[in-house]
Structure formats: structure tokens, C-alpha cells
Amino acid sequence: MSRAVQCQGCLPWGSWARLPWLLPGTRGTRSVSVCAAAVPGELCASGTQPCPPWTSLPSLAGVGSVRHQGGSQENSAQPSSSRQGQPQLRNVAFSGAIKKHQKSLSAWFSHQPNEERQFGPSFSLDAVHVDPVIRESSLEEILKPSPDLTIQNQLQQPSRRVISLHSLFDMDACGRQVKNVVLYGTVGTGKSTLIKKMVVDWCHGRLPRFQLVIPFSCEDLSHSHAHVSLRRLITKKYQHLRDVVPLLEASNLSVLFVLNGLERLNLDFRLAGTELCCDPNEPVPPSAIVVNLLRKYLLPEASIIVTTRPSAVRRIPGKYVGRYAEICGFSDTNLQKLYFQMRLSQPGCSGEESQERRSAEQENLVEMLSRNLERHNQITAACFLPSYCWLVCTTLHFLYFTRTVPPSQTLTGIYTSFLRLNFSGEVLDSSDPTHISMMKYVAKTVGKLAYEGVMSRKTCFSEEDLRQCFEVEMKTESELNLLEVFRSDVFRFFLSPCVQPGKEHTFVFTIPAMQEYLAALYVVLGEKKTLAQRVGKELSEVLGKVSEDVAVVVNIISKVLPLRFLPVLFNLLKIFPRYFSRVGGKDRDTIAHTMAEELFKEEDYYNDDVLDQINSSILGVEGPMRHPDEAPDDEVFELFPIFMGGILSRRNRAILEQLGCSIKNLAAFEIAKAMKKTVIRKGRRGLPPSELMDYLFFLHEFQNERFTAEAVLSLRAVNLSSVKMTPLKCSVLASVMSTTCHEVEELNLTSCNLDSGSLRTLFPVLLRCKALHLQLNSLGSDACKEIRDLLLHDKCVVSSLRLANNPVGEQGARYLAEALAGNRSLTQLSLLHTSLGDPGAEAIAQHLAQNQHLQELNLGYNSLTDTAALRVVEVAKRHETLDKVHLYFNDISEDGKRALDSLRMDRDGVRALVFLTAGTDVSDYWSHILNVVQRNLPFWDRERVRQHLALLLQDLESSRSQTANPWRKAKFLRVESEVKKMLGKLQDGSL
């Protein structure tokens, strides 16, 4: 019988909408409580840290921060045998071994996954935790087909009984004691984490039902082919239990066996396949031990809990199962909010910032995320899976609390590690002879769907789209079986029903960025091939293998018979594989070309940068919601080429290798080589600020220092104006620019939300910039202190510094004055509208004499009076190089104006720009002053600007009346008309 027919709960062929599903919004109330334990513990991960002998690579699904019980009471009745057995166990000398076992298991959980340490603060599994919802199920419910996969149908379904983790072994509805429990759930629902939490609870006395818990990993057992007895198997994994094993057969010892990941074992419950065994000392295959434990032929009094994926539930006959329980994830939005609130409020989440600022930012994040969840947005459906809640929190930590960016911290790295934590190199179906890894299968199938969606710029997929990607190429029984397992176990992890009205029967990627990641993986793995390329590759591999055999035969025959044409024929056979290998090299050029085309799409030039797009997809967009009839915006896929570059980095390729997706070093080298012809050339063109930020982020994700250095060398001017430079973006800019030491002609960071921390991060970059634009950034005295250190650095090359429209203030002016005294590179300094006042201007005047290089100083719009203005000008007259001082829009009287008007460049060596007039003539800088006003009007007090413009107009009219020169009168009239026009627009609100 085919696998497709045998599968319990398999989908009716051709219907992609009939999948078991639990979406947020399920009705019912649940109690929520917080519990904390004294001894920390945590799930482990592969890598440098050792793993428990009973567990495989962990999934982060379900890792949380609050203990939630799903509905049943914790104080359920315990078996009397447990209470009677405990005093007996305390009286024996072996109780010390049990305590040592508990301590050992707890210690294993103290090892944090690498990803937990890399991507933000972690918390121990034992301290705080969110339990996913567990619902009691039955074999009949597993076998029956599910209704269409829509939210409406899910809400109409009768709710199954919610059961807590500690109540799984309570008596069933018929009053029978449950001994065998099957706990199943799709990928990402939290099976492994929940079981680990159960073991840790036992270690700390919170599971008194059992006196001994023995966990085993089915993956570990599947790799063992030698016969072994149960007693030897236990002592091999847990040596400290060697004195306890003889007690296992005692009826008064309550034992729980934990079998994690049953889908990795091929069990045969037929007597012809697995013989009966009741002796714990008899060596048998590990699978036979599991079968006889479940049969209750071996240690019939022992309790067993098995975790598995849905496709493997039917491997255990129903008569051996006392209770089926399905992990339904965070099917309640309140659980999701609770998870986010506790996770994002962890100590150290926001690095080294002050406690007050950290708490405010964390609370703001939680509030925005909660509001987005309440809108029943697509993210609500995504966070039904606890593993995606982890991904959301990790991404937010990356976006908001990253102060420095080590090579291991990339957005691509987060997604790659997320997939490793959930798939960990698992094969899709252990009974399939191909043993294709789950991630490889996903890349070939879901990756194809994702890529076609990116190319056609769509995110919603119909059932027909799914059939085209999954079913069209089905040719064999094995392929059909693999597809059924995928639909049962993995499909919901990547695709979920759309929540938009009118699109309930379509599917979207659970996390939008995952579509772009899988599309990038599909392309980089070389799965995107034409039919000719596929046939050519297969034929070349066949001929290559055949030619090796033919070579041996030809060499033997040629020594016996003078058949000279045989070597010629053999060489001809070699031509095709060699030719195809050269043609195959063109695939690398195609990948590089695709990357460049997608990275520099002109229609995406004026979108937000990708980091802001990710932030909006998680936290939502504040403001009124879009009307259902309003046309949606075009879909944007700017992360797609960035993920392509990130996947090619050495670290991500190493992780993908563990998942069965191999990308060879030579392929990565050839793609990078081909990219130099396209990506770097197109990067030299002038890019809009948001697109330039995406380009810099792409270089960071690519993690190729030599390539990045060549790309950065071509960037002589960097314009990031109006890009919100978060700490992460500042770190990315500093990291990318640090690959070279060349001087940057201009760095424009106008209106980028910079602060003193941003300047500290960017310090090495700022040192090498000749022209530095820092206007409109709310830079106060703390930031001016950083700028002082920058200007006093011996390697500083800044020649032009613009600080207009920043609240510098008096103290900030003192720091800048100190910088002027010791700096040797600065020639232009703009402090326009920086709230200096007379004390600030006086501080600058005191240190200005010690400067020998400044040529232009702008102190306009700073409320300076005659005294301060004249003091600055007097110092400027004695300065060797300073020849221009801007003093317009200050509180200068008529006497002060006359004193400043009397200055002459040829006599005094300095020119003061105060009004639009110069005596009885129009100032040469009148257009410059009006342009400055027009550019800065959105950031200035309009009433004050109107008053100053009125004064300028009066001054123009007065000067015009004092001259008899018709040419000068014409010039005055022209300037007057410009001022009147600006005043009119200002009053109308059109300026």
C-alpha cells in the first residue's frame, strides 16, 4: 500500500486548503500565571557547546518568558503508588544517584544556544516560560479530513479540551490510567522545548508524579545499529544511574521514559518485524526496545511520552496509545502578547543605555507590537507558531538594540540560524531511501514558489499556484510520499491563509521576509534552471561517469589491437562534460546579474530602506487603516538581493551545509567575481539616500571584505540625508566604511536622527570625511563634546562642518570653541540657528584667535545682539584666514548695522553678511541669504522669520530711496519683489 494511502490525516489529493490548522482567535479563557525557579536551565544548540545525550538540535519554538497553563489544574490526583514509593526510595542508598541525575539533567539545560547568545539577551528555560496551548486529540480526529483552511472555519469548529503538560498522564474519560502519551505538532509549535521544560520541572521537584525520568533522543537511537539491552542503553547515556537500573522492574518505582522525535525512527510493530522482549538485560536493536516499551511488554508499569510530527503519529498503533495530545502553539493572542512583553523586557535587552531610556523604549516596542496584534494583522497568524515569536523578538532586538555589528550578526544570519534551530538537518522522511533533508526539499519546492512570486511581484498564492510548484513534476511514488509528509508536517510553517478580506482562500508566507529568503536560497543553490540546462547537466554527469569506465577498456584494447580511432572517440566523449562545465559557469553570471538587477531597480529607488520596511512589517504603520476598497501599494522585494548576498557569506554557507543545502566555495567565489562587473559598476551611480543605505546593508550582509573594499572605494560621496540612522544603521555604515582608509569627499547625514551615541559609533568614518553635513539632528552639548574630540584628533581631515538647526546651546558652543582652538583642518563652520546666544558667540570669539585655518563662519539666526556680533567681527578682522562671517537674522540694531556696513574687505580683511544691502547698494550675497531662508523655513519659527523679512524689506526700501543710480534702484526693486513674494507665500502657508 502506498504511503499516500497509509498516511493518517493526509490531505485529499489536489486540495491544498484542507489542512489542519489553528489560528489565533480561538474562543475560550485560560488562566495565566508566572513562575520562577531557582536553578537556571536552557535548551542547547549544536556548535561549540555540548548537547545533552538525549536531545537533538533544538527548536526554539515555545521558548518564552512566562509559565502558562492551558486549562487543566496542576494539582491533579497523583497515583497512590507514587506516594508509597517515595518513602521506600528515600530509605535506599540509591537516592543519591537520582539527585545526581537531576543535577546532571538540569546542568545540560544551562547551555544556551549559540543563537541566543548572538542575537540578544536570553533567559533560562527553567526561570520563565510560555507554555503553548495543548489540546487533547484522538486517532479519529487525526484521521478525518480537515475543513478548508480559513479563519472563519477555524472559529466555527468546536473547541477540543485544553490540557496542561503536567496533566497528560491523568486518567482518561473512561477512568483508565494513561501510560503512553503521544504529543504531536507541526514544525515550530514547540514540541522539543515543551518536553525539555517538563524534564527541568522534574529536576526541580515540580513533577512529583514520577520518581525517575529518563529522556532519549530518537535521532540518537536511529544512528545506533548495534544490539544493546535497555539496561546497557540507560547506563551508557547516564552512567550515574547504574545502581538504579536494577530497580526499574520494581512495581513501586514510578518511571517516565521521554522519547523525543519519534519520526526519526522506523518502527515495526508486527511480530514478524520486531520480536517480543520483556528482559531489560537482553540485547536487541534500539528500535525494538522502543517498540516493546510502547507495547508494555517491557517494563509494563513505566510511563512513556513520545513527541513526533503529525506524519509519524500513525507509526504507533492506536491500541498502544493512552492519550493523543496536539501542541497548538500560541493560538491565543494574549499568549503572544505575554511572550513579547516578557521577552522584550529582559534585563540587558537594550545594551548599555540608561535604565530609564531603556525601559521607555522597551515599553514603546511592546505597545506598538500589541496594537499590531490587536489589528489581527498577518503577523497575528504568523505568531501562532512560537518559533516565529522568537524570530520577531530577535529581529526587533537586531533593529533596535544593536550598538555594534560583529560579523556573526546579520539579518541573513538570523534567518539562517532560525531555520537551523527548527530543522537542524532533519530528513523529511526517514523511511524514504533518498533521505533528502527537509531544508533541501523546502528550497526546491517552496523556494520555487517564493521566487516566482518575487519575479511577478505578488505575495498571495492560489491553490493553482501551489499545484504548479508542488505537484506538476510528481513522477514517482517516492515523490508523492515526500509531498504528503511535507504537507502534513512543514507546510504550515512557511505558508498560512491570508487574513485580508476577500483573500481568505489564498496563501501568504507566514513571515513576509521568509519569501525573499527562500527565493534567494532557490537562486543561489542553482535550482533555477531551464529545461535544457537540467537535461544537459544530467547528460554530462552520465557521460562523465561512463567515460571513466570507457577509458579503462580503451587502454586495454589499444594495447592488443591497433585501433587508433578508439582514443579519438574517447576524447570526443569528454568534450561534452567539459563544454557543459563551461556553460555551467554562465549560471554564476546569471546569479550575479539577477542580484544586480534586483538591487538597483529604479522603481524601488524612493521606497523606505529595507530595515525600515522590516520594522513596519512587524510593528505596523501608525495612522488610519487602509480602506478595503483602496488599491494596495505595489509589493516591494528589496530584501531578495540582500539575502542572496548574505547567503553567500562563509558563515551562512556553513550553516546551510548542516541543513543539507550545499554551496561550494568555488561557486561563491565565481559569483563574487561576476558581481564585480555588475554590482560595483552600478553602485558607482548616484543613488537616492534610501537606496544607498540598502546598498551599504547589502555589502554588510555579503561579508566579503575584499569585495566590500572595492565597492566602498568607488563611493567618494555618501548621501544618506533623511535616512533614519538607527544604532544598527550607524554600525553598518561604520563597519562597511572601515574596510578601506580612503578619504571621503562628502558625507551628508542631514536629518538622520543622530545623537551622541551615533557620533561615537561613526567616529572612525567621520575622521576621514572632508565635508560633513550634520544639520537637523537635534545634536546638543553631549554631541558637541564628541565633535570636539573629532576635530581635535590628529587624523581629522574635516574641512567643512555644517551644524545648522541643532540645539547646540551655550555649553555646546564652548566645546566647539575648544575644538576651533586646536583644529588644523576646518575651513568652513556653519552654526546657523543653533541657539548660541551672546554667551555662545562670546565663547567662540575667545578661542577664534587661536585658530589659523578657518575661512568662513556662519552664526546666523542665533539671537546675537550688537555686542556679541561686533566682538566676533573684531576677532575676525585680526584672523589670518577668516574672511566671511554670516550674521543675518540676528537681533542687531541700526547702530550695529551701520558699524558692520562700514567693514571693507580690502581694509578690514573680513566681510560680514548681515542684511540684503551693503550701504547704498544691494549685497552680493542677497540671493544666498534668501536661499538659506527658503531652505530652512520648515524648521524655523515662521512668525520670527516673517518679522525679519519685514525688516529686510524696510531696509531695502530705505536704501533704495537713498540712491539716485537707476541701475541700483532696479536691483533694489528686484530684490524687494523676491522678499515680497516670499512674505506672501509665508502668509498664505504655501511656503
Side-chain angles (χ1 to χ4, degrees):
M1 184 182 296
S2 71
R3 173 69 175 278
V5 177
Q6 292 176 355
C7 288
Q8 299 178 12
C10 286
L11 305 177
W13 189 247
S15 174
W16 281 92
R18 302 177 71 81
L19 281 166
W21 193 266
L22 261 173
L23 290 175
T26 303
R27 297 188 177 94
T29 59
R30 302 172 183 85
S31 61
V32 179
S33 62
V34 179
C35 72
V39 182
E42 180 61 285
L43 54 110
C44 70
S46 64
T48 57
Q49 295 293 342
C51 287
W54 57 274
T55 185
S56 59
L57 279 169
S59 165
L60 281 184
V63 176
S65 32
V66 179
R67 183 60 186 270
H68 166 269
Q69 283 80 27
S72 297
Q73 300 297 322
E74 285 295 322
N75 54 351
S76 56
Q78 306 295 331
S80 60
S81 61
S82 174
R83 293 193 293 270
Q84 296 172 359
Q86 287 179 3
Q88 298 176 16
L89 188 61
R90 295 191 193 100
N91 295 331
V92 299
F94 306 125
S95 61
I98 299 295
K99 293 180 180 179
K100 187 175 181 180
H101 181 56
Q102 291 174 330
K103 184 178 180 181
S104 176
L105 287 180
S106 178
W108 279 115
F109 288 107
S110 65
H111 298 297
Q112 299 175 346
N114 293 334
E115 288 70 17
E116 282 286 331
R117 296 191 300 272
Q118 290 170 357
F119 304 120
S122 60
F123 41 79
S124 67
L125 183 66
D126 182 49
V128 283
H129 174 72
V130 176
D131 278 344
V133 173
I134 306 174
R135 297 187 184 278
E136 190 167 6
S137 182
S138 65
L139 189 58
E140 291 75 17
E141 291 181 358
I142 297 172
L143 287 172
K144 72 179 181 181
S146 299
D148 287 350
L149 184 54
T150 62
I151 293 178
Q152 288 78 5
N153 284 337
Q154 292 301 323
L155 293 176
Q156 292 170 3
Q157 288 185 23
S159 179
R160 292 172 293 169
R161 186 170 78 94
V162 176
I163 187 170
S164 72
L165 181 65
H166 291 182
S167 303
L168 289 175
F169 289 92
D170 288 352
M171 292 184 179
D172 61 14
C174 298
R176 295 187 298 265
Q177 184 64 48
V178 173
K179 288 293 184 179
N180 291 351
V181 173
V182 172
L183 188 64
Y184 69 94
T186 58
V187 174
T189 50
K191 300 182 296 295
S192 298
T193 302
L194 198 61
I195 286 298
K196 290 164 191 172
K197 183 64 175 65
M198 184 180 190
V199 174
V200 171
D201 282 349
W202 174 78
C203 291
H204 300 295
R206 294 192 292 271
L207 193 62
R209 181 192 300 270
F210 302 106
Q211 297 164 284
L212 178 62
V213 172
I214 304 176
F216 284 114
S217 165
C218 292
E219 180 187 18
D220 188 21
L221 296 178
S222 68
H223 293 157
S224 177
H225 302 291
H227 287 212
V228 63
S229 66
L230 176 60
R231 180 172 182 173
R232 174 58 183 150
L233 184 63
I234 295 173
T235 56
K236 181 181 178 182
K237 304 298 180 184
Y238 309 102
Q239 294 183 7
H240 42 270
L241 293 181
R242 60 182 177 273
D243 295 330
V244 180
V245 171
L247 294 177
L248 291 179
E249 294 184 86
S251 60
N252 60 352
L253 182 63
S254 180
V255 182
L256 172 65
F257 286 96
V258 178
L259 302 174
N260 187 38
L262 185 74
E263 67 274 358
R264 311 206 185 197
L265 278 177
N266 291 322
L267 303 182
D268 189 351
F269 280 81
R270 299 173 304 164
L271 290 178
T274 303
E275 61 181 5
L276 297 175
C277 175
C278 62
D279 185 1
N281 298 311
E282 181 181 350
V284 293
S287 60
I289 293 177
V290 173
V291 168
N292 282 288
L293 283 173
L294 291 169
R295 284 172 172 167
K296 293 304 170 191
Y297 202 74
L298 181 62
L299 300 183
E301 296 300 320
S303 297
I304 301 171
I305 184 168
V306 171
T307 68
T308 184
R309 301 199 304 257
S311 64
V313 170
R314 75 279 303 158
R315 296 187 185 180
I316 305 176
K319 61 182 179 181
Y320 299 128
V321 180
R323 173 171 284 130
Y324 292 95
E326 181 183 9
I327 302 181
C328 301
F330 294 157
S331 55
D332 189 337
T333 307
N334 291 326
L335 289 181
Q336 300 173 11
K337 291 182 181 179
L338 200 57
Y339 180 98
F340 292 132
Q341 181 179 2
M342 299 301 294
R343 174 91 192 196
L344 293 174
S345 301
Q346 284 295 301
C349 184
S350 53
E352 301 176 355
E353 293 187 49
S354 65
Q355 180 68 31
E356 183 177 350
R357 180 176 178 181
R358 178 185 65 195
S359 299
E361 189 162 15
Q362 290 172 338
E363 290 175 5
N364 184 49
L365 276 180
V366 173
E367 177 65 24
M368 293 178 67
L369 193 54
S370 296
R371 286 202 298 267
N372 203 23
L373 290 172
E374 289 169 0
R375 295 189 188 109
H376 296 287
N377 227 325
Q378 198 65 51
I379 190 175
T380 312
C383 292
F384 148 76
L385 292 173
S387 58
Y388 274 109
C389 293
W390 178 88
L391 180 61
V392 167
C393 289
T394 303
T395 305
L396 285 177
H397 182 273
F398 179 69
L399 293 176
Y400 280 88
F401 304 122
T402 301
R403 297 296 177 262
T404 58
V405 189
S408 60
Q409 286 199 5
T410 63
L411 186 66
T412 314
I414 290 176
Y415 276 77
T416 306
S417 299
F418 168 72
L419 292 174
R420 182 180 71 170
L421 288 168
N422 284 279
F423 294 97
S424 61
E426 289 186 49
V427 297
L428 182 60
D429 184 5
S430 59
S431 62
D432 186 78
T434 61
H435 287 93
I436 184 173
S437 75
M438 196 180 298
M439 197 61 230
K440 180 68 173 179
Y441 188 88
V442 167
K444 291 167 67 71
T445 54
V446 188
K448 179 182 178 183
L449 180 72
Y451 174 75
E452 292 182 355
V454 169
M455 290 297 101
S456 58
R457 300 179 80 83
K458 70 176 183 179
T459 56
C460 294
F461 304 92
S462 64
E463 287 196 27
E464 183 59 31
D465 295 328
L466 300 180
R467 291 192 190 96
Q468 289 296 322
C469 285
F470 292 94
E471 300 179 8
V472 167
E473 298 183 3
M474 295 291 103
K475 300 177 182 178
T476 64
E477 183 73 9
S478 175
E479 291 175 337
L480 178 59
N481 292 337
L482 288 175
L483 179 59
E484 290 297 340
V485 173
F486 168 80
R487 295 162 99 181
S488 173
D489 298 348
V490 190
F491 179 83
R492 291 185 289 174
F493 185 83
F494 292 104
L495 292 161
S496 60
C498 184
V499 300
Q500 296 181 22
K503 296 184 178 180
E504 293 84 356
H505 294 278
T506 61
F507 296 88
V508 296
F509 277 83
T510 309
I511 291 289
M514 187 61 74
Q515 177 179 354
E516 297 174 80
Y517 181 94
L518 292 177
L521 184 62
Y522 177 76
V523 174
V524 173
L525 286 175
E527 296 295 335
K528 187 179 82 71
K529 291 185 176 71
T530 63
L531 179 61
Q533 288 175 324
R534 293 179 182 176
V535 172
K537 182 179 179 181
E538 294 176 1
L539 186 58
S540 120
E541 291 175 352
V542 171
L543 291 179
K545 294 177 181 178
V546 170
S547 63
E548 296 176 1
D549 299 330
V550 172
V552 177
V553 176
V554 167
N555 288 334
I556 295 174
I557 295 177
S558 62
K559 293 178 181 179
V560 180
L561 301 174
L563 301 177
R564 300 182 182 276
F565 69 90
L566 289 178
V568 176
L569 179 62
F570 170 66
N571 289 330
L572 288 174
L573 287 174
K574 287 184 176 180
I575 290 177
F576 185 80
R578 290 175 183 172
Y579 172 76
F580 183 81
S581 65
R582 294 179 182 177
V583 174
K586 298 294 183 182
D587 292 344
R588 318 288 191 242
D589 294 336
T590 303
I591 294 174
H593 179 74
T594 301
M595 202 178 302
E597 289 296 321
E598 294 295 324
L599 189 61
F600 299 109
K601 270 191 172 181
E602 293 188 5
E603 55 263 40
D604 297 334
Y605 267 14
Y606 298 99
N607 298 322
D608 292 338
D609 62 80
V610 292
L611 294 176
D612 284 348
Q613 292 176 28
I614 295 173
N615 182 69
S616 299
S617 70
I618 295 175
L619 298 180
V621 179
E622 296 298 317
M625 297 185 66
R626 183 190 300 275
H627 191 274
D629 297 333
E630 186 178 349
D633 297 331
D634 291 337
E635 299 293 347
V636 178
F637 297 98
E638 293 183 87
L639 267 176
F640 170 54
I642 293 175
F643 277 143
M644 287 177 68
I647 288 172
L648 288 171
S649 69
R650 184 181 298 274
R651 180 179 179 276
N652 286 318
R653 284 190 285 118
I655 297 176
L656 288 170
E657 180 75 30
Q658 300 173 20
L659 297 176
C661 300
S662 178
I663 303 172
K664 302 300 182 184
N665 289 332
L666 180 60
F669 172 78
E670 290 178 348
I671 293 173
K673 185 178 179 181
M675 284 167 56
K676 291 181 181 180
K677 306 173 185 177
T678 53
V679 174
I680 294 180
R681 186 185 75 249
K682 292 190 175 185
R684 293 193 184 103
R685 302 182 305 184
L687 298 173
S690 61
E691 195 70 13
L692 179 58
M693 188 67 240
D694 290 346
Y695 182 46
L696 295 173
F697 189 60
F698 165 80
L699 295 175
H700 166 70
E701 293 284 313
F702 192 35
Q703 294 291 307
N704 186 321
E705 189 170 343
R706 181 180 298 179
F707 181 92
T708 300
E710 291 188 33
V712 170
L713 279 173
S714 64
L715 298 177
R716 292 295 176 179
V718 178
N719 180 10
L720 296 173
S721 60
S722 300
V723 173
K724 186 179 180 181
M725 294 298 291
T726 62
L728 172 62
K729 295 177 189 176
C730 291
S731 299
V732 168
L733 176 60
S735 174
V736 170
M737 298 298 290
S738 67
T739 56
T740 67
C741 298
H742 78 291
E743 293 182 359
V744 180
E745 294 294 332
E746 181 181 4
L747 177 59
N748 190 344
L749 296 175
T750 301
S751 188
C752 289
N753 294 85
L754 300 179
D755 56 17
S756 56
S758 306
L759 297 181
R760 279 193 296 272
T761 302
L762 294 172
F763 193 91
V765 180
L766 303 181
L767 282 175
R768 295 157 31 207
C769 297
K770 293 182 179 180
L772 189 55
H773 301 267
L774 299 176
Q775 306 98 298
L776 294 164
N777 279 296
S778 302
L779 299 177
S781 58
D782 291 341
C784 290
K785 189 175 181 180
E786 299 296 330
I787 295 174
R788 178 199 64 182
D789 297 340
L790 171 72
L791 294 176
L792 292 177
H793 198 282
D794 57 354
K795 294 184 179 180
C796 177
V797 299
V798 177
S799 60
S800 176
L801 175 61
R802 298 181 181 274
L803 288 169
N805 300 306
N806 283 297
V808 172
E810 179 184 347
Q811 184 58 47
R814 296 184 187 281
Y815 288 133
L816 295 177
E818 294 175 20
L820 281 175
N823 178 266
R824 298 185 178 183
S825 64
L826 197 63
T827 59
Q828 294 179 329
L829 175 62
S830 174
L831 296 175
L832 175 70
H833 191 219
T834 50
S835 305
L836 298 182
D838 283 355
E842 182 65 29
I844 290 176
Q846 289 177 2
H847 292 79
L848 194 57
Q850 303 174 43
N851 181 279
Q852 300 177 358
H853 302 277
L854 194 65
Q855 298 175 8
E856 185 175 353
L857 176 64
N858 191 336
L859 298 179
Y861 202 162
N862 275 296
S863 303
L864 304 187
T865 61
D866 295 356
T867 304
L870 292 172
R871 172 79 171 112
V872 171
V873 170
E874 285 299 322
V875 176
K877 289 167 62 175
R878 298 190 297 270
H879 198 281
E880 295 182 3
T881 58
L882 185 59
D883 61 4
K884 193 182 299 180
V885 179
H886 300 251
L887 293 171
Y888 38 80
F889 275 64
N890 281 302
D891 300 331
I892 299 174
S893 65
E894 285 295 325
D895 293 337
K897 175 184 179 298
R898 284 192 293 270
L900 294 172
D901 279 346
S902 65
L903 293 174
R904 295 291 181 270
M905 186 65 189
D906 54 353
R907 184 187 66 201
D908 302 307
V910 66
R911 180 182 290 107
L913 281 61
V914 185
F915 288 93
L916 301 181
T917 60
T920 58
D921 198 359
V922 175
S923 171
D924 295 337
Y925 298 96
W926 71 269
S927 61
H928 171 77
I929 295 174
L930 291 182
N931 286 335
V932 169
V933 174
Q934 190 163 0
R935 285 198 308 268
N936 292 277
L937 190 58
F939 321 108
W940 290 359
D941 182 354
R942 288 178 171 262
E943 180 58 28
R944 185 173 179 183
V945 171
R946 190 191 63 77
Q947 293 174 4
H948 274 283
L949 286 176
L951 290 174
L952 291 177
L953 185 59
Q954 291 177 10
D955 181 64
L956 285 168
E957 293 172 347
S958 175
S959 298
R960 175 167 55 86
S961 64
Q962 296 175 14
T963 182
N965 189 319
W967 175 247
R968 288 184 179 179
K969 283 183 177 290
K971 290 171 63 178
F972 275 115
L973 289 172
R974 179 191 173 192
V975 178
E976 286 176 31
S977 67
E978 292 292 333
V979 174
K980 289 178 180 178
K981 186 186 300 183
M982 189 174 293
L983 274 171
K985 290 183 178 180
L986 189 61
Q987 291 174 354
D988 296 340
S990 58
L991 188 63

